[in-house]
Amino acid sequence: MKILTLNSGSSSIKYQLFQMEEETVLTGGLVERIGLDESRVVHRLYGKDTPRKLVREIPIPNHEKGLEVIADLLVDPAHGAIDHTSEVEAVGHRVVHGGEHFSDTTLIDEEVLKTIRRLIPLAPLHNPHNLRGIEVAMKIFPEARQVAVFDTAFHQTLPPEAYRYAIPNHYYEKHGVRVYGFHGTSHHYVSKMAAKYLGKAPGETNLLTIHLGNGASITAVRAGESVDTSMGFSPLPGLMMGTRSGDIDPAVIFFMQKALGMDIDTIDALLNRESGFLGMTGSSDLRDILEKYKKGDRNAALALSLYTYRIKKYIGAYFAVLGRVDALVFTAGVGENSPYVRWHACEGLDALGISLDRQKNENPGDGITEIQSHRSRVKVLVIPTDEELEIARQVRSLIGSKRLL
Ligand code: ADP
């Protein structure tokens, strides 16, 4: 069974074609700068040897053309992996916001499309592009089943005390103002991998999954289900991120508007795109910030302290939520690659039974690794996330179960 995963953003489409029997990636890549100058596609063909990479700079005015280029590459005799697009049995689409309607992976039909469209006000920056990707894929892969995998779905198990805000009920009941949570596909994937690694059923496993990429969030997982998460109504709150502020007193927004005369779109851009590491240091990439820190840059030092302090604070809070924690899981670009961040986020948590081994933390090796010290009661794992594989697995499982019906 061949499954194609698609992640359609405002100016990009990421794709991977999986052979599901072996769970191997046949080809994959990225179409970027759609609708802009210098658009291009970076395509990789995986085989027994090192992957072959192809870069083509061609005008890609819209998503339709982008997906046509992808389809052509998939069947290209020299660079593709299939003879005909009809070999793609299903297309799994990453959809950022599923609201309260979708607590699971869902086969797409007209009703589902309508609901995703209705949810646009909740995710104006993401859902329109996800939707566009689905509509175009329906044309280009007409034989394939189209499936939506929602970033919010894993968090639909949050209890009301975790998902409601303390504002009049009307805003929730009429307008859907509540915590939704994001990065669900990644938290779900690493939590299942962690349970498997620990030799336990997901239903017996309590975890703190810490996803640190450009966006960052931490989730409390009880018995395999998300029970609290640091992002909220939008992906803005919680941990400090590459360009987002994370938690901030909403009164700062009133102050900026009333006392500083800033309009709401400017404040929105400030908190979502010009804050976090970028706002504090001038760079959003942790590698640059660590370099600056090594050279004695005081802003970089402060930003790193704030970043790791926030993670630690959430570890403490979610430890209290869960009561018993089997493992902490670090994942995504920063979580998988930064010993500095892992060390400082866990420093001083001995009282919670959490301590790292300096050597193991510095050189965790490949795959799933343990980095806690011998006296740590809680295991601390580094697990590479794979959102595309999780999407493909969920699609396989859904269409497998639909076959039996
Ligand atoms: P995205 O949210 O875009 O998927 P990623 O999960 O790829 O992001 O994470 C991107 C972040 O990971 C960047 O801040 C980058 O600096 C950081 N990162 C990647 N590799 C390393 C590394 N070796 N050391 C420290 N940080 C790293």
Side-chain angles (χ1 to χ4, degrees), residues 39 56 87 131 133 139 151 178 204 255 305 375 379:
S39 40
R56 270 192 195 154
E87 287 174 51
L131 202 55
K139 281 195 210 154
D151 264 17
R178 53 160 285 175
E204 300 171 336
F255 172 80
S305 305
R375 65 172 194 283
K379 287 210 186 321

Side-chain angles (χ1 to χ4, degrees), residues 14 211-215 284-287 290 332-334 337-338 387:
K14 284 188 201 141
H211 176 110
L212 306 174
N214 280 312
S284 65
D285 192 304
L286 185 81
R287 285 165 290 201
L290 289 168
V334 174
N337 295 301
S338 177
E387 287 163 282

Side-chain angles (χ1 to χ4, degrees), residues 168-405:
N169 297 340
H170 164 82
Y171 292 96
Y172 166 65
E173 287 160 1
K174 189 119 200 311
H175 302 290
V177 177
R178 53 160 285 175
V179 169
Y180 290 101
F182 299 87
H183 289 146
T185 308
S186 175
H187 289 293
H188 197 179
Y189 175 80
V190 295
S191 64
K192 286 187 287 188
M193 296 299 281
K196 193 168 167 198
Y197 176 82
L198 297 171
K200 294 176 123 189
E204 300 171 336
T205 318
N206 285 4
L207 302 163
L208 298 186
T209 52
I210 308 170
H211 176 110
L212 306 174
N214 280 312
S217 65
I218 168 164
T219 293
V221 179
R222 177 185 290 132
E225 294 187 338
S226 170
V227 291
D228 206 349
T229 192
S230 61
M231 286 180 167
F233 177 71
S234 79
L236 179 58
L239 304 176
M240 175 180 151
M241 310 181 209
T243 66
R244 292 181 212 140
S245 63
D247 286 335
I248 189 163
D249 179 348
V252 171
I253 298 166
F254 317 146
F255 172 80
M256 287 175 169
Q257 195 191 29
K258 289 181 187 157
L260 306 184
M262 294 164 69
D263 69 53
I264 209 73
D265 289 339
T266 308
I267 303 172
D268 184 337
L270 175 80
L271 297 181
N272 274 300
R273 298 202 297 275
E274 298 155 19
S275 292
F277 276 126
L278 181 65
M280 294 189 74
T281 70
S283 168
S284 65
D285 192 304
L286 185 81
R287 285 165 290 201
D288 298 343
I289 294 144
L290 289 168
E291 278 304 312
K292 287 185 187 182
Y293 170 65
K294 277 188 211 141
K295 291 183 188 140
D297 184 308
R298 300 238 298 259
N299 290 331
L302 174 63
L304 286 168
S305 305
L306 204 155
Y307 183 74
T308 52
Y309 174 75
R310 273 277 167 93
I311 302 168
K312 182 187 300 197
K313 212 157 81 164
Y314 269 95
I315 292 173
Y318 287 171
F319 210 103
V321 168
L322 293 179
R324 191 203 89 222
V325 176
D326 297 303
L328 258 57
V329 180
F330 282 96
T331 193
V334 174
E336 291 164 30
N337 295 301
S338 177
Y340 177 95
V341 166
R342 293 190 299 254
W343 183 264
H344 290 280
C346 294
E347 205 172 25
L349 294 180
D350 298 71
L352 297 180
I354 299 169
S355 71
L356 298 193
D357 180 284
R358 198 175 277 277
Q359 290 302 327
K360 289 182 189 159
N361 181 48
E362 287 294 329
N363 300 298
D366 296 330
I368 301 183
T369 42
E370 295 185 26
I371 56 167
Q372 77 279 359
S373 75
H374 60 89
R375 65 172 194 283
S376 187
R377 285 195 307 279
V378 176
K379 287 210 186 321
V380 183
L381 307 176
V382 178
I383 303 187
T385 194
D386 194 337
E387 287 163 282
E388 278 74 24
L389 177 58
E390 179 61 22
I391 290 174
R393 283 180 176 172
Q394 295 207 13
V395 172
R396 175 185 55 192
S397 144
L398 180 80
I399 62 176
S401 66
K402 292 274 187 246
R403 260 203 202 117
L404 298 173
L405 291 176

